[in-house]
Amino acid sequence: MSRTYSTWCDMHARCGNPNESSYRWYGAKGIAVCARWNDFSLFLEDMGEKPLGMSIDRIDSKKNYDPSNCRWATFKDQANNTSRNRVLVYQGRSMNLGQWAVETGLSRHTIATRIQRGWSIDRALGTPVKA
């Protein structure tokens, strides 16, 4: 079985099989696979072969699996694209807390603690850590 075919099977299972362990995060929440992708050859035509080190990712995690909403993505890309992330808008840019940590050089913990303490996003991300 190819990696691409295995991904296709897993996608259908998590969206359509209540006995699948991850069904609660997909099918039970209304996430479905588009009718076109019930045919593996059409899925392959739309997505191409699965690249090494990547998996299928829904660009908008609230929408279904379909050609306009899916891509092959790295684990890091997927981690940055989960509905559990908190998106912060700072200087006109939207990124999640982990991305802002990389961008600012602040730790995720520092940013999160500042926000929990009531700091504004501008202050939390724009204030360097004192040495």
Side-chain angles (χ1 to χ4, degrees), residues 11-76:
M11 173 183 66
H12 279 280
R14 66 180 158 260
C15 292
N17 181 356
N19 296 319
E20 169 65 35
S21 63
S22 57
Y23 176 81
R24 66 184 174 152
W25 303 113
Y26 296 88
K29 290 187 173 185
I31 302 300
V33 179
C34 69
R36 175 178 170 81
W37 283 1
N38 287 334
D39 182 328
F40 175 70
S41 66
L42 296 176
F43 171 78
L44 185 59
E45 181 181 306
D46 292 339
M47 292 297 293
E49 290 289 345
K50 178 181 177 178
L52 281 173
M54 295 191 154
S55 59
I56 194 162
D57 181 49
R58 287 172 295 123
I59 296 162
D60 183 338
S61 64
K62 294 178 181 79
K63 294 184 179 178
N64 293 332
Y65 285 96
D66 70 58
S68 67
N69 191 43
C70 289
R71 64 183 176 176
W72 295 117
T74 64
F75 177 77
K76 183 176 180 179

Side-chain angles (χ1 to χ4, degrees), residues 68-86:
S68 67
N69 191 43
C70 289
R71 64 183 176 176
W72 295 117
T74 64
F75 177 77
K76 183 176 180 179
D77 291 336
Q78 286 198 346
N80 285 324
N81 189 35
T82 178
S83 59
R84 295 182 307 265
N85 282 334
R86 180 171 181 189

Side-chain angles (χ1 to χ4, degrees), residues 83-119:
S83 59
R84 295 182 307 265
N85 282 334
R86 180 171 181 189
V87 176
L88 307 175
V89 179
Y90 176 62
Q91 297 180 338
R93 295 171 53 212
S94 298
M95 293 194 287
N96 66 41
L97 194 126
Q99 291 168 317
W100 280 119
V102 170
E103 178 87 6
T104 62
L106 300 168
S107 73
R108 291 172 59 104
H109 177 75
T110 295
I111 297 169
T113 300
R114 287 174 172 183
I115 292 169
Q116 283 177 327
R117 290 181 177 163
W119 289 32

